[in-house]
Protein backbone atom coordinates (compact mmCIF):
# COMPACT_ATOMS: atom_id res chain seq x y z
CA UNK A 1 0.00 0.00 0.00
CA UNK A 2 1.84 3.06 -1.28
CA UNK A 3 0.72 6.70 -1.12
CA UNK A 4 2.57 9.46 -2.96
CA UNK A 5 1.93 13.03 -1.84
CA UNK A 6 3.52 15.87 -3.76
CA UNK A 7 3.21 19.32 -2.22
CA UNK A 8 3.47 22.37 -4.41
CA UNK A 9 6.49 24.67 -4.27
CA UNK A 10 8.15 23.38 -1.08
CA UNK A 11 11.81 24.33 -0.75
CA UNK A 12 14.10 21.78 0.87
CA UNK A 13 15.54 24.34 3.29
CA UNK A 14 12.19 24.96 4.99
CA UNK A 15 11.74 21.35 6.10
CA UNK A 16 15.44 21.20 7.02
CA UNK A 17 14.90 23.93 9.62
CA UNK A 18 14.09 22.32 13.02
CA UNK A 19 12.82 25.63 14.36
CA UNK A 20 9.96 25.44 11.86
CA UNK A 21 9.25 21.71 11.76
CA UNK A 22 9.12 21.57 15.57
CA UNK A 23 5.75 23.32 15.25
CA UNK A 24 4.46 20.74 12.73
CA UNK A 25 3.91 17.39 14.48
CA UNK A 26 3.36 15.26 11.36
CA UNK A 27 6.39 16.57 9.53
CA UNK A 28 8.39 16.16 12.73
CA UNK A 29 7.24 12.53 13.00
CA UNK A 30 8.07 11.75 9.37
CA UNK A 31 11.50 13.39 9.63
CA UNK A 32 12.23 11.40 12.80
CA UNK A 33 10.89 8.02 11.66
CA UNK A 34 11.48 8.11 7.89
CA UNK A 35 14.28 8.05 5.36
CA UNK A 36 15.14 11.69 4.73
CA UNK A 37 16.96 12.53 1.51
CA UNK A 38 18.95 15.75 1.91
CA UNK A 39 20.05 16.02 -1.72
CA UNK A 40 16.86 15.48 -3.73
CA UNK A 41 16.25 17.39 -6.94
CA UNK A 42 13.16 17.93 -8.99
CA UNK A 43 13.48 17.33 -12.74
CA UNK A 44 12.01 20.78 -13.41
CA UNK A 45 10.56 23.92 -11.88
CA UNK A 46 7.05 23.57 -13.35
CA UNK A 47 4.42 21.24 -11.89
CA UNK A 48 3.40 19.63 -15.18
CA UNK A 49 7.04 19.11 -16.19
CA UNK A 50 8.26 17.61 -12.91
CA UNK A 51 5.26 15.36 -12.36
CA UNK A 52 5.28 14.13 -15.96
CA UNK A 53 8.94 13.23 -15.50
CA UNK A 54 8.20 11.47 -12.21
CA UNK A 55 5.39 9.34 -13.63
CA UNK A 56 7.11 8.59 -16.95
CA UNK A 57 10.59 8.02 -15.57
CA UNK A 58 12.04 10.33 -18.24
CA UNK A 59 13.14 13.95 -18.40
CA UNK A 60 11.40 16.71 -20.38
CA UNK A 61 13.49 16.47 -23.56
CA UNK A 62 13.11 12.69 -23.63
CA UNK A 63 9.35 13.03 -24.13
CA UNK A 64 7.15 14.24 -26.97
CA UNK A 65 5.18 17.40 -26.08
CA UNK A 66 2.17 18.79 -27.94
CA UNK A 67 -0.69 21.20 -27.36
CA UNK A 68 -3.68 19.85 -25.46
CA UNK A 69 -6.68 21.22 -23.55
CA UNK A 70 -9.11 24.05 -24.13
CA UNK A 71 -9.31 27.72 -23.23
CA UNK A 72 -7.09 28.83 -20.37
CA UNK A 73 -6.18 25.20 -19.69
CA UNK A 74 -4.58 24.71 -23.12
CA UNK A 75 -0.83 24.16 -22.80
CA UNK A 76 1.85 21.75 -23.97
CA UNK A 77 1.66 18.30 -22.38
CA UNK A 78 3.26 14.94 -23.15
CA UNK A 79 -0.20 13.52 -23.86
CA UNK A 80 0.79 11.81 -27.12
CA UNK A 81 4.13 10.47 -25.88
CA UNK A 82 4.06 6.64 -25.88
CA UNK A 83 6.23 6.17 -22.77
CA UNK A 84 4.41 3.96 -20.22
CA UNK A 85 3.39 5.88 -17.10
CA UNK A 86 3.78 4.46 -13.61
CA UNK A 87 0.03 4.41 -12.75
CA UNK A 88 -0.84 2.53 -15.95
CA UNK A 89 1.92 -0.02 -15.35
CA UNK A 90 0.64 -0.59 -11.82
CA UNK A 91 -2.97 -0.83 -12.99
CA UNK A 92 -2.03 -3.35 -15.68
CA UNK A 93 -0.31 -5.45 -12.99
CA UNK A 94 -3.48 -5.62 -10.89
CA UNK A 95 -2.64 -2.87 -8.39
CA UNK A 96 -5.59 -0.68 -7.41
CA UNK A 97 -4.69 2.89 -8.40
CA UNK A 98 -6.47 5.96 -7.04
CA UNK A 99 -5.92 9.68 -7.63
CA UNK A 100 -7.57 12.78 -6.20
CA UNK A 101 -6.87 15.51 -8.78
CA UNK A 102 -6.36 19.00 -7.37
CA UNK A 103 -5.47 20.56 -10.75
CA UNK A 104 -7.30 20.12 -14.03
CA UNK A 105 -4.16 18.93 -15.85
CA UNK A 106 -3.76 16.09 -13.37
CA UNK A 107 -6.77 14.37 -14.95
CA UNK A 108 -5.79 11.17 -16.78
CA UNK A 109 -6.51 12.69 -20.20
CA UNK A 110 -3.73 15.33 -19.95
CA UNK A 111 -0.92 12.78 -19.89
CA UNK A 112 0.82 14.09 -16.75
CA UNK A 113 -0.40 11.31 -14.48
CA UNK A 114 -2.54 9.00 -16.65
CA UNK A 115 -3.52 5.41 -16.05
CA UNK A 116 -5.26 5.61 -12.67
CA UNK A 117 -8.25 3.27 -12.58
CA UNK A 118 -9.98 5.45 -9.97
CA UNK A 119 -9.90 9.20 -10.47
CA UNK A 120 -11.67 11.78 -8.32
CA UNK A 121 -11.48 15.28 -9.81
CA UNK A 122 -12.21 17.91 -7.17
CA UNK A 123 -11.51 21.03 -9.23
CA UNK A 124 -12.49 22.73 -12.45
CA UNK A 125 -10.90 25.30 -14.74
CA UNK A 126 -7.66 26.64 -13.30
CA UNK A 127 -8.74 26.51 -9.67
CA UNK A 128 -6.34 24.93 -7.20
CA UNK A 129 -8.29 22.59 -4.95
CA UNK A 130 -7.60 22.73 -1.23
CA UNK A 131 -5.66 20.06 0.62
CA UNK A 132 -8.83 19.04 2.43
CA UNK A 133 -10.60 18.43 -0.88
CA UNK A 134 -8.00 15.90 -2.02
CA UNK A 135 -6.81 14.40 1.27
CA UNK A 136 -10.28 13.61 2.63
CA UNK A 137 -11.25 11.25 -0.24
CA UNK A 138 -7.73 9.81 -0.47
CA UNK A 139 -7.65 8.97 3.24
CA UNK A 140 -11.12 7.41 2.96
CA UNK A 141 -9.95 5.26 0.04
CA UNK A 142 -6.87 4.13 1.99
CA UNK A 143 -9.10 3.12 4.90
CA UNK A 144 -11.16 0.99 2.50
CA UNK A 145 -8.18 -0.95 1.14
CA UNK A 146 -8.72 -4.69 1.49
CA UNK A 147 -6.33 -6.86 3.49
CA UNK A 148 -5.04 -8.56 0.35
CA UNK A 149 -5.33 -5.53 -1.95
CA UNK A 150 -2.28 -3.90 -3.50
CA UNK A 151 -2.88 -0.16 -3.70
CA UNK A 152 -1.22 3.01 -5.02
CA UNK A 153 -2.70 6.41 -4.21
CA UNK A 154 -1.65 9.90 -5.28
CA UNK A 155 -2.59 13.48 -4.49
CA UNK A 156 -0.96 16.85 -5.11
CA UNK A 157 -1.45 19.50 -2.43
CA UNK A 158 -1.46 23.10 -3.68
CA UNK A 159 -1.46 25.05 -0.41
CA UNK A 160 2.08 26.50 -0.68
CA UNK A 161 1.46 28.69 -3.72
CA UNK A 162 1.27 32.38 -4.44
CA UNK A 163 -0.47 34.58 -3.36
CA UNK A 164 0.34 32.76 -0.06
CA UNK A 165 -3.07 33.27 1.51
CA UNK A 166 -4.02 29.73 2.64
CA UNK A 167 -1.97 29.56 5.81
CA UNK A 168 -2.72 30.88 9.29
CA UNK A 169 -0.58 33.94 8.63
CA UNK A 170 -2.62 36.34 6.51
CA UNK A 171 -0.32 39.36 6.72
CA UNK A 172 3.40 39.96 6.73
CA UNK A 173 6.31 39.10 4.49
CA UNK A 174 5.58 36.78 1.54
CA UNK A 175 8.14 34.18 2.69
CA UNK A 176 6.60 33.89 6.15
CA UNK A 177 3.11 33.58 4.69
CA UNK A 178 4.45 30.92 2.33
CA UNK A 179 5.96 28.99 5.26
CA UNK A 180 2.63 29.29 7.04
CA UNK A 181 1.01 27.56 4.06
CA UNK A 182 3.44 24.66 4.32
CA UNK A 183 2.50 24.39 7.99
CA UNK A 184 -1.16 24.28 6.98
CA UNK A 185 -0.54 20.97 5.19
CA UNK A 186 0.73 19.26 8.36
CA UNK A 187 -2.75 18.32 9.62
CA UNK A 188 -3.67 16.82 6.26
CA UNK A 189 -0.50 14.75 6.15
CA UNK A 190 -1.53 13.52 9.57
CA UNK A 191 -4.81 12.22 8.13
CA UNK A 192 -2.87 10.10 5.62
CA UNK A 193 -0.41 8.86 8.25
CA UNK A 194 -3.29 7.76 10.46
CA UNK A 195 -5.00 5.99 7.55
CA UNK A 196 -1.78 4.17 6.69
CA UNK A 197 -1.36 3.16 10.34
CA UNK A 198 -4.78 1.52 10.62
CA UNK A 199 -5.27 -2.26 10.97
CA UNK A 200 -5.15 -3.99 7.61
CA UNK A 201 -2.58 -1.67 6.06
CA UNK A 202 -0.20 -0.97 8.95
CA UNK A 203 2.94 -3.01 8.46
CA UNK A 204 2.66 -3.00 4.67
CA UNK A 205 2.25 0.71 3.91
CA UNK A 206 4.61 3.31 2.52
CA UNK A 207 4.23 7.10 2.36
CA UNK A 208 6.33 9.21 0.00
CA UNK A 209 6.26 12.97 0.60
CA UNK A 210 8.00 15.38 -1.73
CA UNK A 211 7.48 18.57 -3.75
CA UNK A 212 7.11 19.24 -7.47
CA UNK A 213 9.60 22.12 -7.27
CA UNK A 214 10.76 24.87 -4.93
CA UNK A 215 9.98 28.59 -4.78
CA UNK A 216 12.09 31.72 -5.29
CA UNK A 217 11.97 34.81 -3.11
CA UNK A 218 14.32 37.17 -4.88
CA UNK A 219 17.20 34.76 -5.51
CA UNK A 220 18.69 35.38 -8.96
CA UNK A 221 16.23 38.23 -9.37
CA UNK A 222 13.16 35.97 -9.60
CA UNK A 223 10.09 35.16 -7.55
CA UNK A 224 7.75 32.16 -7.43
CA UNK A 225 8.77 29.36 -9.85
CA UNK A 226 9.06 28.18 -13.51
CA UNK A 227 11.63 30.84 -14.45
CA UNK A 228 14.96 29.13 -13.69
CA UNK A 229 16.52 25.83 -12.64
CA UNK A 230 18.66 27.20 -9.84
CA UNK A 231 18.67 25.37 -6.51
CA UNK A 232 15.91 27.41 -4.88
CA UNK A 233 13.59 25.91 -7.52
CA UNK A 234 14.88 22.37 -8.00
CA UNK A 235 16.16 21.27 -4.60
CA UNK A 236 13.18 19.72 -2.83
CA UNK A 237 12.41 17.66 0.26
CA UNK A 238 11.96 13.91 -0.05
CA UNK A 239 10.82 11.76 2.87
CA UNK A 240 9.84 8.08 2.71
CA UNK A 241 8.11 6.66 5.77
CA UNK A 242 6.58 3.29 6.54
CA UNK A 243 7.11 -0.45 6.47
CA UNK A 244 10.69 -1.70 6.08
CA UNK A 245 12.06 1.83 5.83
CA UNK A 246 15.08 2.46 8.00
CA UNK A 247 14.90 5.82 9.76
CA UNK A 248 17.99 7.75 8.75
CA UNK A 249 19.36 10.74 6.86
CA UNK A 250 20.59 9.97 3.33
CA UNK A 251 23.00 12.35 1.62
CA UNK A 252 23.20 10.40 -1.65
CA UNK A 253 22.00 12.72 -4.48
CA UNK A 254 18.66 11.59 -5.91
CA UNK A 255 16.03 12.83 -8.35
CA UNK A 256 12.25 12.56 -8.35
CA UNK A 257 12.63 10.54 -11.55
CA UNK A 258 14.00 7.81 -9.25
CA UNK A 259 10.55 7.45 -7.69
CA UNK A 260 9.23 5.72 -10.81
CA UNK A 261 11.53 2.65 -10.58
CA UNK A 262 11.38 2.82 -6.77
CA UNK A 263 7.61 2.29 -6.67
CA UNK A 264 7.83 -0.47 -9.28
CA UNK A 265 10.52 -2.12 -7.15
CA UNK A 266 8.34 -1.88 -4.04
CA UNK A 267 5.59 -3.77 -5.89
CA UNK A 268 8.13 -6.31 -7.25
CA UNK A 269 7.42 -5.26 -10.82
CA UNK A 270 9.89 -5.13 -13.69
CA UNK A 271 11.67 -1.82 -14.14
CA UNK A 272 11.88 -0.53 -17.71
CA UNK A 273 15.47 -0.53 -18.97
CA UNK A 274 14.79 2.82 -20.64
CA UNK A 275 14.00 4.68 -17.42
CA UNK A 276 16.20 7.64 -16.52
CA UNK A 277 15.90 6.84 -12.81
CA UNK A 278 17.22 4.24 -10.43
CA UNK A 279 15.45 2.44 -7.58
CA UNK A 280 15.94 3.88 -4.10
CA UNK A 281 14.78 0.69 -2.37
CA UNK A 282 18.31 -0.34 -1.29
CA UNK A 283 18.79 3.06 0.36
CA UNK A 284 15.39 2.80 2.07
CA UNK A 285 16.41 -0.57 3.50
CA UNK A 286 19.50 0.94 5.08
CA UNK A 287 22.14 -0.06 2.55
CA UNK A 288 24.72 2.48 1.43
CA UNK A 289 24.86 2.28 -2.35
CA UNK A 290 26.18 4.66 -4.95
CA UNK A 291 23.68 5.40 -7.70
CA UNK A 292 25.15 5.76 -11.17
CA UNK A 293 22.49 7.41 -13.38
CA UNK A 294 22.86 11.11 -14.21
CA UNK A 295 20.73 13.68 -12.40
CA UNK A 296 19.20 16.27 -14.71
CA UNK A 297 16.87 19.26 -14.41
CA UNK A 298 15.18 21.13 -17.27
CA UNK A 299 13.06 24.21 -17.79
CA UNK A 300 12.48 26.76 -20.56
CA UNK A 301 15.15 25.13 -22.74
CA UNK A 302 17.68 25.20 -19.94
CA UNK A 303 19.38 21.94 -18.99
CA UNK A 304 21.34 21.20 -15.82
CA UNK A 305 23.48 18.22 -14.89
CA UNK A 306 25.04 17.35 -11.52
CA UNK A 307 28.31 15.56 -10.77
CA UNK A 308 29.22 15.55 -7.10
CA UNK A 309 29.29 19.17 -5.98
CA UNK A 310 29.54 20.49 -9.53
CA UNK A 311 26.47 21.66 -11.43
CA UNK A 312 26.44 22.87 -15.01
CA UNK A 313 23.55 24.76 -16.67
CA UNK A 314 23.25 25.20 -20.43
CA UNK A 315 20.73 27.71 -21.80
CA UNK A 316 19.91 26.59 -25.34
CA UNK A 317 18.06 29.80 -26.23
CA UNK A 318 20.68 32.23 -24.98
CA UNK A 319 23.62 29.91 -25.76
CA UNK A 320 25.16 30.49 -22.33
CA UNK A 321 26.88 28.14 -19.89
CA UNK A 322 27.02 28.40 -16.12
CA UNK A 323 28.78 26.12 -13.65
CA UNK A 324 28.77 26.18 -9.87
CA UNK A 325 30.55 24.37 -7.07
CA UNK A 326 27.59 23.88 -4.74
CA UNK A 327 29.80 22.96 -1.77
CA UNK A 328 31.42 26.41 -1.81
CA UNK A 329 28.72 28.38 -3.57
CA UNK A 330 25.27 27.03 -2.66
CA UNK A 331 23.65 30.28 -3.82
CA UNK A 332 25.04 29.80 -7.35
CA UNK A 333 26.58 33.24 -7.62
CA UNK A 334 30.14 32.42 -8.81
CA UNK A 335 30.11 31.10 -12.39
CA UNK A 336 33.12 28.79 -12.69
CA UNK A 337 32.81 28.62 -16.46
CA UNK A 338 33.96 32.22 -16.65
CA UNK A 339 37.17 31.35 -14.82
CA UNK A 340 37.81 27.63 -15.17
CA UNK A 341 36.12 26.27 -18.31
CA UNK A 342 38.52 23.31 -18.38
CA UNK A 343 37.08 22.00 -15.10
CA UNK A 344 33.57 22.30 -16.49
CA UNK A 345 34.30 20.78 -19.91
CA UNK A 346 33.88 17.07 -18.97
CA UNK A 347 30.48 17.65 -17.34
CA UNK A 348 29.40 19.85 -20.22
CA UNK A 349 30.34 17.09 -22.66
CA UNK A 350 28.42 14.54 -20.60
CA UNK A 351 25.31 16.73 -20.63
CA UNK A 352 25.49 17.06 -24.40
CA UNK A 353 26.06 13.34 -24.88
CA UNK A 354 23.16 12.45 -22.61
CA UNK A 355 20.60 14.34 -24.66
CA UNK A 356 22.23 13.39 -27.94
CA UNK A 357 21.53 9.78 -26.97
CA UNK A 358 18.16 10.13 -25.24
CA UNK A 359 16.27 13.19 -26.53
CA UNK A 360 12.98 12.48 -28.30
CA UNK A 361 13.30 12.78 -32.06
CA UNK A 362 10.78 12.62 -34.89
CA UNK A 363 10.61 14.28 -38.31
CA UNK A 364 9.68 17.94 -37.89
CA UNK A 365 9.69 17.79 -34.07
CA UNK A 366 11.70 20.22 -31.96
CA UNK A 367 11.90 20.22 -28.18
CA UNK A 368 9.58 23.11 -27.24
CA UNK A 369 10.07 26.12 -25.03
CA UNK A 370 7.40 25.54 -22.38
CA UNK A 371 6.67 28.88 -20.62
Amino acid sequence: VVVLLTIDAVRADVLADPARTDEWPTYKKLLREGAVFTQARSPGSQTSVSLTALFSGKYFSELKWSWFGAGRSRFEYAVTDPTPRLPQTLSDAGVSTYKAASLIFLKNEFGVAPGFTEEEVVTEGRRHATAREVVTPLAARVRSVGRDEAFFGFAHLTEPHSPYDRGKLKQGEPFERYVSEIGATDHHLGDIVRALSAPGVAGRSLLIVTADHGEAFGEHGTHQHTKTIYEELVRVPLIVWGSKVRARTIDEPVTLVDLNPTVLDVFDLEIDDDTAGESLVPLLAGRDVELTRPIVAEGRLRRALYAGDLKVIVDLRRTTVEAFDLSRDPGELDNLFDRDPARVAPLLATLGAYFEARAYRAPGYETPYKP
Side-chain angles (χ1 to χ4, degrees):
V1 176
V2 178
V3 170
L4 169 65
L5 292 180
T6 55
I7 307 174
D8 214 294
V10 179
R11 297 164 56 119
D13 55 359
V14 174
L15 290 190
D17 183 356
R20 297 191 186 278
T21 56
D22 192 55
E23 301 175 0
W24 304 332
T26 306
Y27 281 112
K28 187 176 180 180
K29 173 184 176 68
L30 296 178
L31 291 166
R32 182 180 66 250
E33 299 177 2
V36 180
F37 291 85
T38 65
Q39 299 293 324
R41 264 80 185 193
S42 170
S45 59
Q46 297 167 275
T47 304
S48 61
V49 170
S50 61
L51 294 186
T52 301
L54 187 162
F55 285 114
S56 67
K58 292 184 178 180
Y59 291 103
F60 179 85
S61 292
E62 299 179 67
L63 301 166
K64 178 185 178 183
W65 295 80
S66 54
W67 288 95
F68 185 80
R72 297 180 65 210
S73 297
R74 182 173 172 79
F75 293 101
E76 283 171 311
Y77 299 99
V79 64
T80 59
D81 186 271
T83 303
R85 304 302 203 268
L86 174 64
Q88 187 65 63
T89 302
L90 295 174
S91 298
D92 291 346
V95 177
S96 300
T97 55
Y98 172 90
K99 169 178 58 183
S102 59
L103 299 166
I104 198 68
F105 63 74
L106 291 180
K107 294 172 64 176
N108 281 343
E109 64 191 78
F110 282 78
V112 175
F116 284 89
T117 54
E118 302 172 55
E119 178 181 68
E120 192 153 351
V121 181
V122 296
T123 188
E124 58 183 13
R126 297 187 67 179
R127 187 180 76 89
H128 293 191
T130 65
R132 182 179 301 279
E133 288 177 295
V134 292
V135 167
T136 299
L138 174 58
R141 180 62 181 89
V142 171
R143 288 192 293 270
S144 75
V145 170
R147 289 187 176 273
D148 297 321
E149 182 182 6
F151 174 82
F152 176 74
F154 166 67
H156 179 70
L157 281 59
T158 62
E159 254 61 5
H161 199 286
S162 62
Y164 317 124
D165 57 359
R166 289 189 176 182
K168 292 183 178 180
L169 191 63
K170 302 300 182 183
Q171 296 181 337
E173 293 297 317
F175 183 76
E176 294 304 322
R177 289 188 282 115
Y178 157 79
V179 170
S180 177
E181 287 188 316
I182 298 174
T185 65
D186 186 84
H187 170 76
H188 303 290
L189 262 65
D191 289 345
I192 298 299
V193 168
R194 286 186 288 274
L196 291 172
S197 303
V201 295
R204 63 185 186 102
S205 60
L206 201 69
L207 173 62
I208 303 169
V209 178
T210 188
D212 52 351
H213 51 71
E215 191 81 337
F217 289 88
E219 299 94 339
H220 300 97
T222 68
H223 292 82
Q224 300 174 30
H225 49 273
T226 76
K227 301 176 183 67
T228 75
I229 48 174
Y230 294 118
E231 292 296 276
E232 60 268 16
L233 294 191
V234 297
R235 189 174 174 188
V236 294
L238 174 60
I239 309 167
V240 183
W241 172 91
S243 176
K244 299 181 181 179
V245 174
R246 181 177 174 183
R248 64 176 186 143
T249 298
I250 301 171
D251 296 325
E252 176 74 19
V254 299
T255 164
L256 299 192
V257 174
D258 292 329
L259 294 181
N260 183 299
T262 298
V263 173
L264 291 175
D265 200 1
V266 167
F267 283 104
D268 294 322
L269 296 176
E270 184 177 354
I271 297 171
D272 192 332
D273 289 339
D274 197 35
T275 183
E278 195 167 348
S279 174
L280 305 180
V281 166
L283 291 167
L284 298 178
R287 292 167 50 197
D288 290 322
V289 296
E290 184 177 348
L291 305 178
T292 60
R293 78 283 170 266
I295 293 180
V296 173
E298 291 190 84
R300 294 186 170 183
L301 293 181
R302 296 184 181 95
R303 293 170 173 172
L305 180 68
Y306 296 81
D309 294 322
L310 191 61
K311 175 184 179 182
V312 63
I313 303 174
V314 175
D315 189 322
L316 300 177
R317 296 179 75 216
R318 296 175 175 84
T319 63
T320 59
V321 178
E322 296 174 282
F324 305 100
D325 185 336
L326 298 178
S327 65
R328 297 188 304 102
D329 179 28
E332 296 165 289
L333 300 175
D334 181 17
N335 184 2
L336 295 178
F337 188 71
D338 293 337
R339 294 185 291 100
D340 193 2
R343 180 185 174 190
V344 178
L347 189 56
L348 191 60
T350 300
L351 177 62
Y354 180 87
F355 284 106
E356 179 65 27
R358 293 185 58 90
Y360 178 86
R361 288 184 175 82
Y365 179 83
E366 293 184 5
T367 302
Y369 174 88
K370 184 174 171 62

